[in-house]
Amino acid sequence: DIQMTQSPSSLSASVGDRVTITCRASQTVASYLSWYQQEPGKAPKLLISDASKLRSGVPSRFSGSRSGTDFTLTISSLQPEDFATYYCEQSYSTPLTFGGGTKLEI
Amino acid sequence: EVQLEESGGGLVQPGGSLRLSCAASGFTFSEYLMRWVRQVPGMGPMWVSSITEDGSKTTYADSVKGRFTISRDNAKNTLHLQMNSLRAEDTAVYYCARVAADGTRGLDIWGRGTVVTVSS
């Protein structure tokens, strides 16, 4: 199984800050890497797929990148609505696996 | 509006069965690969099962293989998950999700989830 190691597990930041979340795959996932945002009590929301493709309707302050098996999600300028938990997911091979999550707190 | 809505969750005893359903609306259901994903509160999501557009191919997580069966009725725009021999560790919120059609395999539409509790 492909392990997705996500870091940090939690992050304290302020409105306007630039933050980066990292996911490392235990083996290649090509670019089949997605990022999701989840607010308490809600379903995850797809932000980025294919490692760097911003989904329709997602603000441009979100961006994703890939370097080999390392993936990053960057939020360029935090807004109040961005404080949530973020997950990466590899869909390269089954079993599909998610990272452990990053809780972004004020 | 593109929408998925799960139903069928509830409280069941260990060893029991439940059948989850997911009603799709606002898009051509038969054109999309679908998945079930579950999540224990406070934990990350976990993939459970996938089914191809025509229902001809299904895949399962090892932890549910042989106990759960995914199926779909494209005429009724409905996805199902038959869960048998339920265990306490199957307790979670179960989401159905649509796989994006652009080849990136991201889950672009999710339902609100249905809660399954396995307990005596």
Side-chain angles (χ1 to χ4, degrees):
Chain A
D1 298 3
I2 298 176
Q3 308 302 319
M4 303 301 298
T5 303
Q6 189 172 339
S7 61
S9 57
S10 65
L11 178 58
S12 294
S14 301
V15 173
D17 283 355
R18 177 185 179 92
V19 299
T20 298
I21 299 169
T22 298
C23 234
R24 173 168 290 175
S26 60
Q27 61 191 79
T28 185
V29 298
S31 289
Y32 291 109
L33 189 286
S34 300
W35 289 99
Y36 299 86
Q37 177 193 63
Q38 187 175 31
E39 297 176 39
K42 294 189 176 182
K45 173 188 174 184
L46 181 62
L47 299 176
I48 288 171
S49 58
D50 203 27
S52 59
K53 179 179 178 179
L54 194 69
R55 304 302 300 187
S56 174
V58 176
S60 59
R61 62 181 179 273
F62 290 91
S63 63
S65 66
R66 171 195 175 191
S67 177
T69 57
D70 291 341
F71 299 85
T72 59
L73 171 70
T74 299
I75 310 172
S76 60
S77 178
L78 278 172
Q79 298 302 300
E81 59 268 29
D82 300 338
F83 291 93
T85 300
Y86 294 83
Y87 296 98
C88 62
E89 179 218 13
Q90 69 81 16
S91 50
Y92 178 73
S93 67
T94 56
L96 313 177
T97 46
F98 289 81
T102 296
K103 186 174 184 180
L104 185 49
E105 299 175 302
I106 300 175
Chain B
E1 180 188 3
V2 175
Q3 197 169 317
L4 296 170
E5 185 172 2
E6 302 92 341
S7 60
L11 174 64
V12 61
Q13 293 188 338
S17 299
L18 277 178
R19 189 188 195 211
L20 306 185
S21 296
C22 169
S25 59
F27 65 99
T28 306
F29 179 68
S30 61
E31 294 181 354
Y32 288 85
L33 194 154
M34 299 293 295
R35 294 189 186 141
W36 286 98
V37 174
R38 71 186 185 188
Q39 186 174 29
V40 175
M43 305 279 287
M46 189 199 95
W47 168 73
V48 173
S49 182
S50 299
I51 188 167
T52 53
E53 295 86 336
D54 64 356
S56 62
K57 183 177 179 183
T58 59
T59 49
Y60 299 92
D62 283 348
S63 59
V64 308
K65 199 173 296 182
R67 300 187 299 122
F68 290 11
T69 302
I70 189 172
S71 63
R72 64 191 298 162
D73 184 339
N74 285 343
K76 296 183 177 179
N77 295 332
T78 306
L79 178 72
H80 298 289
L81 185 68
Q82 177 67 43
M83 305 187 297
N84 298 330
S85 303
L86 282 161
R87 306 167 180 168
E89 54 264 36
D90 296 319
T91 295
V93 179
Y94 284 73
Y95 297 100
C96 61
R98 185 183 85 170
V99 179
D102 58 5
T104 64
R105 304 182 187 174
L107 298 173
D108 65 348
I109 302 295
W110 294 63
R112 293 184 178 182
T114 187
V115 178
V116 172
T117 304
V118 184
S119 175
S120 55

